[in-house]
Amino acid sequence: MSTILIAAPEHLQALKESDDFSDAQTFSDSEALRALEVITRKRPTVVALERLFAATTRGAALINRIKADPKLASCEIRIIAHDSEYSRVPGARPDSEADSEADGAADGAAGSVAVAAPAPVAAPLDQTGTRRAPRFPIVDGVEVMVDGNTATLVNLSLVGAQVVSPTILKPNQRLRIALAEGKRPIRISAGVAWASFELAKAGPQYRAGIEFFDAEPDAVQKFCDKKKRS
């Protein structure tokens, strides 16, 4: 049986001393992306995550990536505590859709962890009550500036947008967004309605729903008409 173990560095040695994980290939919690590459390539029988790591957004994202890969359907995910007790998480589903991220939550009892169901990858703005106008998918490759950092525009409406950014975005964060339009960008004060962390093939990224506060409807509509998918 092949096993991969992921935990904070201070817990790895103690967990390796247990019979279940003495032969496991180990990764620290900061090596989640490298661990995912090995998991995808080697398809281990068991992937064990220390419960404190599993309760983080990074841990939940890793779990959901494994569950979303049909090639890893036979992989057993174990959430383990310091005393090496564990709970199982259902493996990959063949009909799963790709990458999503969800928060996990550890309860107080050792060895017991609850992992929340994954959030939809393309979470609609109206899940937080911000969608008040039709939303249009945008053609691939359209970039916008979010607080001076480049982000990819996923969809757009007169009152908000969905973006994917390599820069951290957090719910309730206030920001400025700029839509490149001719010589004069459309500048909008906005806020993050929701955000999720994802482990994408290109690296960590944040998907977020943005709510506009002072957008000029005519300018945004003109931009949308040019960039929306036909």
Side-chain angles (χ1 to χ4, degrees):
M1 179 181 73
S2 59
T3 300
I4 287 179
L5 171 64
I6 307 169
E10 61 268 27
H11 300 316
L12 277 175
Q13 186 55 44
L15 292 169
K16 279 277 290 182
E17 291 175 358
S18 70
D19 292 339
D20 286 341
F21 305 112
S22 58
D23 296 325
Q25 183 174 357
T26 61
F27 296 89
S28 71
D29 52 3
S30 63
E31 299 175 307
L33 279 175
R34 190 159 72 89
L36 179 61
E37 292 175 1
V38 174
I39 291 167
T40 303
R41 186 174 70 252
K42 291 189 174 182
R43 303 180 191 178
T45 306
V46 173
V47 175
L49 290 79
E50 198 280 323
R51 70 184 183 94
L52 297 179
F53 169 61
T56 66
T57 54
R58 214 170 257 268
L62 178 61
I63 290 171
N64 287 320
R65 278 297 301 270
I66 295 171
K67 291 171 66 177
D69 190 341
K71 295 179 181 179
L72 299 175
S74 61
C75 178
E76 177 187 328
I77 302 172
R78 295 184 185 180
I79 310 301
I80 60 174
H82 301 159
D83 59 6
S84 296
E85 294 178 0
Y86 64 87
S87 59
R88 289 184 172 88
V89 175
R93 299 183 302 276
D95 59 347
S96 292
E97 299 200 359
D99 315 337
S100 61
E101 187 272 347
D103 290 332
D107 70 17
S112 177
V113 172
V115 179
V121 174
L125 291 178
D126 56 355
Q127 77 176 39
T128 53
T130 61
R131 184 179 173 194
R132 303 183 300 275
R135 178 186 46 173
F136 299 97
I138 301 301
V139 296
D140 294 339
V142 175
E143 295 184 338
V144 297
M145 300 301 291
V146 178
D147 273 354
N149 300 304
T150 302
T152 300
L153 187 61
V154 178
N155 59 49
L156 180 66
S157 78
L158 297 183
V159 296
Q162 183 182 146
V163 301
V164 172
S165 170
T167 306
I168 295 175
L169 295 174
K170 298 179 179 180
N172 302 317
Q173 177 182 344
R174 295 295 184 100
L175 47 77
R176 295 283 294 179
I177 186 168
L179 310 177
E181 178 60 22
K183 296 180 180 180
R184 186 180 177 187
I186 303 169
R187 302 186 186 279
I188 305 168
S189 295
V192 178
W194 58 266
S196 64
F197 173 81
E198 299 176 352
L199 285 176
K201 293 179 180 179
Q205 65 183 26
Y206 294 81
R207 186 179 298 269
I210 307 297
E211 181 180 8
F212 297 159
F213 297 147
D214 62 356
E216 298 179 15
D218 291 343
V220 174
Q221 185 64 61
K222 183 178 179 181
F223 181 91
C224 187
D225 290 342
K226 288 184 177 180
K227 305 297 184 180
K228 69 182 181 181
R229 292 181 186 174
S230 57

